[in-house]
Amino acid sequence: MKEVLQKLREFKTIQETNIKKGESIIDISYYGEITLSKNDTDISNQRKEDLYLVKKEIDGKIEFEFRIDFGIIAYIGEEGQIQIAEDFKQLINENEFLLQLKSIMPISLEKLEALEKSGSNKEIEKLSKTTENEKELEDEKKIEKEDSNTAKKYIENPKDAKIDLRKKITEKENFYDLVPEARQKGIVDLVVRRKDSTRFEFIGINGAGEEIKLKSLEQTEGTNPNKDIIEIDAKGTVKKDQVETIIKIKNGQNEGKQNEGFTVKLGEYGIPEVSYYRRARELNKYSSIPVNMENTNQKRTDRDVREYIEKTRNTATNDNIKRAEDRISYNEDNETQLENIDDNPYNDEIIDSAEIEIRKAAKRCKISVEEFKQKLETQDGDTLEEKIENAEEEINEEFRGLRDRG
């Protein structure tokens, strides 16, 4: 509290040097550091400033001014209403500014000096603790308010990435399964938004179009914006990549050990790209696959890739990450394929991408690669992908027919 007292005295001295004729300063209260943001969604336009309330007498009339270091930001009118200064109306978000004031208990210079003069150090400390406790209570109320029906409305941003909540992320789980809180809070949409160069936020949206905070998701402490991830794309290509943010699922597998969550990096046109990760506990390294999005050109994630991340937990993750790093360093293009790092040591060979797609399809159909190739030769289609899809449909139909006759 002594630091606050010194800060208030210094600020009062500065104000008195610039005082005009007919004015006198009666008291100054300190509101602490507040966040000032513009009327847009760009986080880079936010800044922190110390806020003071100056109580003045001007020609016999009492007036109140909210000040920061370089000027008057707002006034208190005769009826007690707060009015933003003309110079700041276009520079700050008025609603956010007023909301912050409601959650702060200001500290008066006049009161602190009176306590100091009386030698009541215990009273100063008591005031300090009371102020801190009241602020904590206000913060709790603010959080509760944000989670209630008075939450602010979601304003769509073209650079928000929208996660498809119902599509499978792993072979068995969608977003609701991985983060049960989303279903509990009635979230119907979920977007990922860039906050600044190294931070992103997940924004839940309920049926009323209001923003809902997800407490289950938390950026990990000490996150390194340049952390390497063994990343498997939607079609099974494996490479090392860097992400800007790692967000753990707090109530997920192995609670508290950051063993699963989401990675985020900035993608095409400034829209975030989101992946789901599992962490190799012994290595403290990560492997991830893409999350299905609703508003990007990201391809649908293959079932083999989803199955890989489903089965790949702690011990297996260590083995597969080691195998991936060896393969990536060995290849000239610094990448490999999922089949070269999975748990089957007999398929570890360098083969072309077409062969890999054929092998995957044969595995899905539960027949040999040679049998699938024979079926593939009889299929129509302009691309290999179309021929593979047609072959799979035909094989599945044949199996269904045999089963029905059996």
Side-chain angles (χ1 to χ4, degrees), residues 26 48 152 209 216 282 307 326 367:
I26 299 172
K48 302 281 189 180
K152 66 179 181 180
S216 301
E282 289 84 353
E307 187 179 25
D326 290 342
I367 64 174

Side-chain angles (χ1 to χ4, degrees), residues 147-251:
D147 287 342
S148 70
N149 291 331
T150 57
K152 66 179 181 180
K153 288 283 186 178
Y154 167 69
I155 300 174
E156 189 172 355
N157 186 317
K159 291 190 176 181
D160 286 348
K162 190 173 184 180
I163 291 178
D164 193 324
L165 297 173
R166 292 161 187 81
K167 280 189 179 175
K168 295 291 177 64
I169 293 175
T170 71
E171 185 62 18
K172 299 177 182 177
E173 301 163 307
N174 59 26
F175 189 89
Y176 286 129
D177 299 320
L178 294 168
V179 187
E181 183 190 4
R183 182 178 278 114
Q184 293 164 6
K185 289 188 173 180
I187 288 173
V188 296
D189 286 308
L190 186 87
V191 298
V192 181
R193 175 178 294 175
R194 186 185 189 189
K195 293 183 73 175
D196 56 34
S197 60
T198 61
R199 292 188 302 162
F200 295 80
E201 61 181 337
F202 282 62
I203 302 172
I205 306 161
N206 65 14
E210 298 163 336
E211 292 188 10
I212 303 295
K213 182 177 176 60
L214 285 172
K215 297 178 181 178
S216 301
L217 300 178
E218 180 181 279
Q219 182 170 327
T220 57
E221 295 179 10
T223 296
N224 182 351
N226 298 313
K227 191 169 187 67
D228 284 331
I229 304 287
I230 297 298
E231 193 172 79
I232 305 169
D233 71 14
K235 296 300 179 182
T237 300
V238 183
K239 61 183 179 180
K240 267 190 181 181
D241 210 346
Q242 294 181 343
V243 298
E244 276 89 22
T245 296
I246 297 177
I247 297 174
K248 69 178 178 180
I249 301 173
K250 291 171 63 177
N251 63 343

Side-chain angles (χ1 to χ4, degrees), residues 56-148:
K56 280 183 175 181
E57 183 176 345
I58 303 176
D59 295 329
K61 184 180 178 182
I62 302 298
E63 294 192 6
F64 294 88
E65 302 171 347
F66 282 103
R67 281 184 170 268
I68 55 179
D69 284 340
F70 54 85
I72 300 171
I73 196 170
Y75 303 91
I76 297 181
E78 292 181 358
E79 297 180 2
Q81 76 279 19
I82 297 175
Q83 302 169 341
I84 303 299
E86 195 65 36
D87 292 342
F88 282 88
K89 282 185 177 179
Q90 302 302 318
L91 297 177
I92 67 169
N93 186 309
E94 183 174 349
N95 290 335
E96 288 184 8
F97 175 69
L98 296 177
L99 185 62
Q100 288 180 84
L101 293 188
K102 290 179 181 178
S103 65
I104 299 172
M105 177 65 66
I107 302 171
S108 162
L109 173 61
E110 184 180 54
K111 187 169 184 178
L112 283 180
E113 287 186 326
L115 290 171
E116 184 187 52
K117 188 175 181 180
S118 65
S120 302
N121 290 326
K122 289 184 178 179
E123 287 297 318
I124 293 177
E125 291 303 318
K126 184 179 177 182
L127 174 63
S128 173
K129 288 179 180 179
T130 301
T131 303
E132 289 172 4
N133 292 337
E134 287 175 343
K135 188 176 186 306
E136 286 177 6
L137 288 172
E138 288 294 335
D139 288 342
E140 288 176 8
K141 288 178 182 178
K142 182 180 176 182
I143 291 171
E144 290 173 2
K145 185 177 180 181
E146 288 175 353
D147 287 342
S148 70

Side-chain angles (χ1 to χ4, degrees), residues 362 366-376 395:
K366 298 180 181 179
I367 64 174
S368 71
V369 175
E370 290 306 315
E371 286 177 302
F372 190 85
K373 284 182 177 179
Q374 290 174 11
K375 182 65 68 175
L376 194 63
I395 291 167

Side-chain angles (χ1 to χ4, degrees), residues 232 236-238 304-305 308 336-342 360:
I232 305 169
T237 300
V238 183
D304 288 349
V305 179
Y308 163 85
T336 187
Q337 294 296 322
L338 177 60
E339 291 197 358
N340 290 333
I341 70 164
D342 63 16
K360 287 181 181 179

